[in-house]
Amino acid sequence: MKYSQIFDKFLGCKNDDEVFDYLIANLKETIKSWDYFINWQKVCKNYHEAEVSLNLLNTLIGKPDIEKAAEQLLSEYPNIIKIIPALLAERDKKISLLTDKKKFDITRFDFTKPMSAKDGAKFMKESGFLDLVSDRTIKSIPDYFLGVEVGLDSNGRKNRSGTSMESLAELFIKDICKRNGYEYIAQATADKIYSKWGKRITVTKSSKRIDFAINTPHKLYLIETNFYGGGGSKLKSTAGEYADIYHQWTNDGHQFIWLTDGFGWQKTQRPLRDTFNTTDYILNIAMVQKGVLEQLLK
């Protein structure tokens, strides 16, 4: 680590060991906020786009010859075909199914283009959906669809966890840059950085996105952020990855700062300490709150 008097002034840490101890002792339990659970805007958008088709499908509830009724409905309103995968919690519109396990026959369904009403009704029947409609297990297809959308959106929580750390960091970074007259780019690429500031950075992939690039009068700062609420092998590989990135960008003449947090590091301190020893700056949220990041940028 590149020790600075800043750590003594703002954190009361006299050496590297004390800085690392502060880092571990002040990890945050969570950064989840109210918007972590469900992206209601996305759920409601998908619901309203399908609302007409859902209400048409709702006329099938309780019908005795359900497959025949579904086929007739799809014949009269072929656009309903498009929402069938979503009824089964499937985002893909092109679906290949093993329809004969012994012969290994595969049947392909493409819901992006017109499909015969017979094939559409068969798909809903064989998947089991129509049985639930016929015996009234599903009493309202619009309500059922809304529940499916909520369930599908819950799969995005992992991504929301990642973007939550970026959003939190940007609250501080935006404020710091405004006070000091710095420019920054969120989700920066090498091309964006060169186009805006004429500075080159080494990246292994041209599509590589850096959480934040901050241009100060004396140096370009590149900041990566993440939060780990739990442990696992991912933390060890991440620590190693950022050690490599540090050397790349230092050789380019820029400064790399890793902003990380979460209780996951409590049980995975060894790889974090190794990267701490071989890079300049690893900060957590508490350090940023205390003003360390702003002073380092100065």
Side-chain angles (χ1 to χ4, degrees):
M1 180 197 171
K2 191 174 183 179
Y3 182 78
S4 164
Q5 291 301 315
I6 291 170
F7 293 101
D8 186 11
K9 180 180 179 181
F10 287 86
L11 307 178
C13 298
K14 306 294 184 184
N15 53 52
D16 290 7
D17 289 336
E18 289 187 10
V19 174
F20 187 77
D21 289 343
Y22 185 96
L23 178 71
I24 296 299
N26 290 276
L27 294 170
K28 305 293 186 184
E29 177 184 0
T30 184
I31 54 171
K32 293 176 185 175
S33 55
W34 291 114
D35 58 1
Y36 164 78
F37 299 101
I38 300 294
N39 182 344
W40 289 109
Q41 186 176 3
K42 178 183 175 184
V43 168
C44 291
K45 177 178 178 291
N46 291 343
Y47 173 79
H48 290 307
E49 287 178 354
E51 193 169 9
V52 172
S53 294
L54 294 171
N55 283 304
L56 288 169
L57 280 170
N58 214 40
T59 62
L60 296 175
I61 290 178
K63 292 287 177 68
D65 193 348
I66 191 73
E67 189 171 359
K68 182 179 179 181
E71 186 176 335
Q72 184 177 346
L73 183 67
L74 293 176
S75 295
E76 294 179 25
Y77 303 98
N79 281 338
I80 295 176
I81 291 285
K82 298 176 183 178
I83 71 164
I84 290 177
L87 296 171
L88 303 171
E90 177 60 67
R91 293 295 191 202
D92 289 339
K93 297 291 187 179
K94 296 181 179 181
I95 301 171
S96 298
L97 294 175
L98 182 61
T99 50
D100 189 320
K101 294 181 180 179
K102 287 186 177 181
K103 297 179 181 179
F104 215 87
D105 287 341
I106 292 178
T107 304
R108 294 173 178 83
F109 298 86
D110 187 348
F111 294 93
T112 65
K113 59 186 182 182
M115 180 188 298
S116 74
K118 184 176 181 179
D119 285 345
K122 180 181 179 181
F123 190 94
M124 288 195 289
K125 173 65 175 175
E126 294 299 327
S127 66
F129 176 77
L130 287 184
D131 291 338
L132 298 179
V133 173
S134 180
D135 66 13
R136 298 181 185 273
T137 299
I138 295 176
K139 296 178 175 62
S140 167
I141 292 178
D143 289 348
Y144 162 84
F145 180 86
L146 191 61
V148 170
E149 283 294 318
V150 168
L152 285 172
D153 187 74
S154 69
N155 294 329
R157 287 176 184 170
K158 184 177 181 181
N159 291 333
R160 282 195 284 275
S161 238
T163 56
S164 290
M165 185 62 173
E166 292 175 32
S167 298
L168 183 60
E170 189 163 13
L171 288 175
F172 293 99
I173 289 171
K174 185 176 182 179
D175 192 39
I176 291 169
C177 290
K178 185 177 180 180
R179 281 198 302 272
N180 294 279
Y182 306 148
E183 291 183 320
Y184 80 93
I185 302 173
Q187 290 295 296
T189 62
D191 288 342
K192 286 181 180 179
I193 290 170
Y194 182 74
S195 176
K196 191 172 181 67
W197 299 315
K199 298 185 177 182
R200 298 188 182 277
I201 65 166
T202 301
V203 290
T204 53
K205 295 181 180 178
S206 59
S207 59
K208 163 71 177 173
R209 292 184 178 274
I210 302 155
D211 291 339
F212 299 98
I214 303 175
N215 193 35
T216 73
H218 56 281
K219 188 165 283 194
L220 177 68
Y221 288 82
L222 304 167
I223 300 176
E224 291 280 40
T225 69
N226 42 49
F227 185 94
Y228 295 105
S233 58
K234 173 68 176 175
L235 281 73
K236 184 176 181 180
S237 62
T238 299
E241 176 188 348
Y242 285 143
D244 293 338
I245 287 174
Y246 160 77
H247 292 298
Q248 286 177 359
W249 292 342
T250 300
N251 289 336
D252 290 337
H254 312 310
Q255 181 67 62
F256 172 59
I257 297 176
W258 181 15
L259 175 55
T260 190
D261 215 307
F263 278 5
W265 288 116
Q266 291 177 341
K267 296 181 179 180
T268 321
Q269 294 185 33
R270 180 67 180 272
L272 184 63
R273 181 66 199 237
D274 289 342
T275 303
F276 180 87
N277 290 341
T278 57
T279 62
D280 286 345
Y281 303 117
I282 300 179
L283 308 180
N284 62 17
I285 295 168
M287 293 174 171
V288 176
Q289 289 175 312
K290 293 282 188 179
V292 172
L293 175 61
E294 182 166 9
Q295 291 305 310
L296 290 177
L297 293 175
K298 288 181 176 180

